């Protein structure tokens, strides 16, 4: 019997997105290569390379990154609409992908972006692949927006962090969602009457000794967090809240959730660890994937 069309929705999560490489490799190894790929932010970068048969080249690049090399790609631009112009990263992408048009790729692919001003969710499924990737990962305030046609576009994870709805719209019968932030515990909590909460105190002897990690974290909070920390954490919270809502309204058939709590949003040099965690997450869900595909495979009708 012909298997149902499989779609994979690759979520945003900055450096954690390297785990998407491991997810896609493990799915292919299990004979479950997706027919449709939809991605937001870093999910659009990995998904686009996969759809263009350039995933191996992306993996080689990711594994080659060091802290020093990452810094070399950051072309700061304090006078523009983003702290980083993104030209160096764009040039790197163009070396491998500059002639690739989305509509000519062997697999269906959509990069999700957000329109500046209107906030509309834009699905990029035609035109240059590099432009679609850059628009989808353009984090507001960090990367400058990308102009596509008459629109200025930035990070798609602001409107659809894990684009399950895109896969459904393109006809996917089985949708696999990859959530990079599921283990951010406490994001959905509500703390009423904060003023009445019990105060946390640190004994002088503990403070003098330096204490454990929890004590050090409390001591750090005496000074306000920096602008970059505030910006990134705010975006992460927004994306997490939106993802929870959209997944509840349009749930996937299977969720793959790599355990990425040890990898920070800008730890791009930890690609090897992230890829391995992605592969492990797929292996844990293979039974559920098999059941979902079996249930949704059309059965012959007896005459």
């Amino acid at each position: 019997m012909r298997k149902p069309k499989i779609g994979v929705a690759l979520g945003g999560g900055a450096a954690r997105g390297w785990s998407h490489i491991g997810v896609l490799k493990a799915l292919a190894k299990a004979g479950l290569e997706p027919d449709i790929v939809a991605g937001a932010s870093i999910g659009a970068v990995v998904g686009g390379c996969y759809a263009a048969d350039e995933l191996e080249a992306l993996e080689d690049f990711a594994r080659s990154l060091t802290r020093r090399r990452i810094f070399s790609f950051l072309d700061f631009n304090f006078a523009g609409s983003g702290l980083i112009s993104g030209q160096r990263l764009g040039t790197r992408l163009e070396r491998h992908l500059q002639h690739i048009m989305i509509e000519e790729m062997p697999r269906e692919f959509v990069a999700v972006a957000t329109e500046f001003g209107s906030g509309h969710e834009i699905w990029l499924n035609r035109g240059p692949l590099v432009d679609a990737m850059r628009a989808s990962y353009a984090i507001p305030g960090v990367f400058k927006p990308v102009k596509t046609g008459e629109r200025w576009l930035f990070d798609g994870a602001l409107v659809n962090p894990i684009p399950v709805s895109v896969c459904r719209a393109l006809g996917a019968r089985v949708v696999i969602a990859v959530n990079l932030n599921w283990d951010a515990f406490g994001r959905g909590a509500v703390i009423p009457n904060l003023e009445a909460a019990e105060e946390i105190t640190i004994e002088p002897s503990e403070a003098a000794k330096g204490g454990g990690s929890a004590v050090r974290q409390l001591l750090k909070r005496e000074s306000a967090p920096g602008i970059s920390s505030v910006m990134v954490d705010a975006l992460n919270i927004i994306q997490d809240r939106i993802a929870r809502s959209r997944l509840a309204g349009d749930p996937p058939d299977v969720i793959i959730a790599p355990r990425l709590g040890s990898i920070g949003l800008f730890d791009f040099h930890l690609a090897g660890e992230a890829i391995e965690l992605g592969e492990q997450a797929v292996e844990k869900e293979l039974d559920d994937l098999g059941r979902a595909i079996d249930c949704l495979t059309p059965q012959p009708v007896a005459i």
Side-chain angles (χ1 to χ4, degrees):
M1 296 300 298
R2 183 178 180 182
K3 291 188 179 297
K5 185 177 287 188
I6 299 174
V8 61
L10 304 178
R16 295 173 181 173
W18 292 142
S19 66
H20 287 319
I21 298 174
V23 168
L24 292 169
K25 288 176 61 179
L27 288 175
K29 184 178 179 181
L32 300 173
E33 295 191 56
D35 306 287
I36 299 167
V37 182
S41 199
I42 186 67
V45 175
V46 178
C49 288
Y50 172 79
D53 288 331
E54 291 287 348
L55 189 65
E56 185 176 349
L58 180 65
E59 181 178 357
D60 291 341
F61 168 73
R63 290 183 181 275
S64 72
L65 291 175
T66 62
R67 291 182 185 273
R68 182 184 295 274
R69 194 172 184 207
I70 292 168
F71 191 78
S72 70
F73 284 104
L74 305 182
D75 42 358
F76 293 100
N77 178 29
F78 297 103
S81 54
L83 292 175
I84 301 170
S85 70
Q87 188 60 45
R88 294 177 188 172
L89 286 172
T91 300
R92 177 72 189 197
L93 288 172
E94 288 171 356
R95 289 182 187 177
H96 293 281
L97 310 171
Q98 63 178 341
H99 299 301
I100 297 178
M101 304 295 285
I102 296 175
E103 60 269 29
E104 297 173 358
M105 296 196 300
R107 299 178 182 86
E108 287 190 83
F109 170 72
V110 174
V112 178
T114 304
E115 183 179 18
F116 176 77
S118 71
H120 290 162
E121 179 179 333
I122 307 297
W123 295 1
L124 300 169
N125 61 351
R126 298 184 63 83
L129 176 60
V130 172
D131 290 350
M133 288 178 173
R134 294 185 64 185
S136 189
Y137 73 65
I139 300 173
V142 178
F143 291 102
K144 63 180 293 187
V146 175
K147 191 171 185 180
T148 302
E150 298 300 319
R151 294 185 172 99
W152 284 99
L153 306 177
F154 50 58
D155 197 349
L158 290 173
V159 289
N160 200 348
I162 308 172
V164 172
S165 58
V166 179
C167 294
R168 297 282 189 209
L170 294 180
R173 192 76 174 92
V174 177
V175 178
I176 303 166
V178 185
N179 187 351
L180 303 179
N181 301 302
W182 78 279
D183 55 350
F185 297 111
R187 288 291 192 189
V190 176
I191 311 297
N193 196 12
L194 185 61
E195 293 79 5
E198 183 179 355
E199 293 185 2
I200 300 175
T201 58
I202 303 174
E203 295 296 329
S205 58
E206 291 184 5
K209 294 177 182 178
S213 60
V215 174
R216 288 196 294 272
Q217 290 298 319
L218 287 170
L219 292 174
K220 287 181 180 178
R221 292 179 186 175
E222 292 179 359
S223 59
I227 184 172
S228 59
S229 298
V230 170
M231 184 184 303
V232 170
D233 201 51
L235 290 171
N236 200 30
I237 291 170
I238 291 169
Q239 291 175 17
D240 178 70
R241 292 280 182 148
I242 295 172
R244 290 171 187 265
S245 176
R246 297 204 62 151
L247 289 177
D250 191 5
D253 298 292
V254 178
I255 294 181
I256 295 175
R259 294 181 175 274
L260 300 167
S262 62
I263 298 178
L265 293 175
F266 289 100
D267 288 340
F268 288 97
H269 60 290
L270 299 180
E273 180 180 344
I275 292 170
E276 182 178 351
L277 290 171
E279 293 175 335
Q280 293 174 3
V282 171
E283 292 170 0
K284 294 177 182 178
E285 302 297 336
L286 282 178
D287 289 342
D288 286 345
L289 278 167
R291 283 193 291 270
I293 291 172
D294 289 342
C295 288
L296 295 171
T297 298
Q299 300 299 318
V301 178
I303 300 176

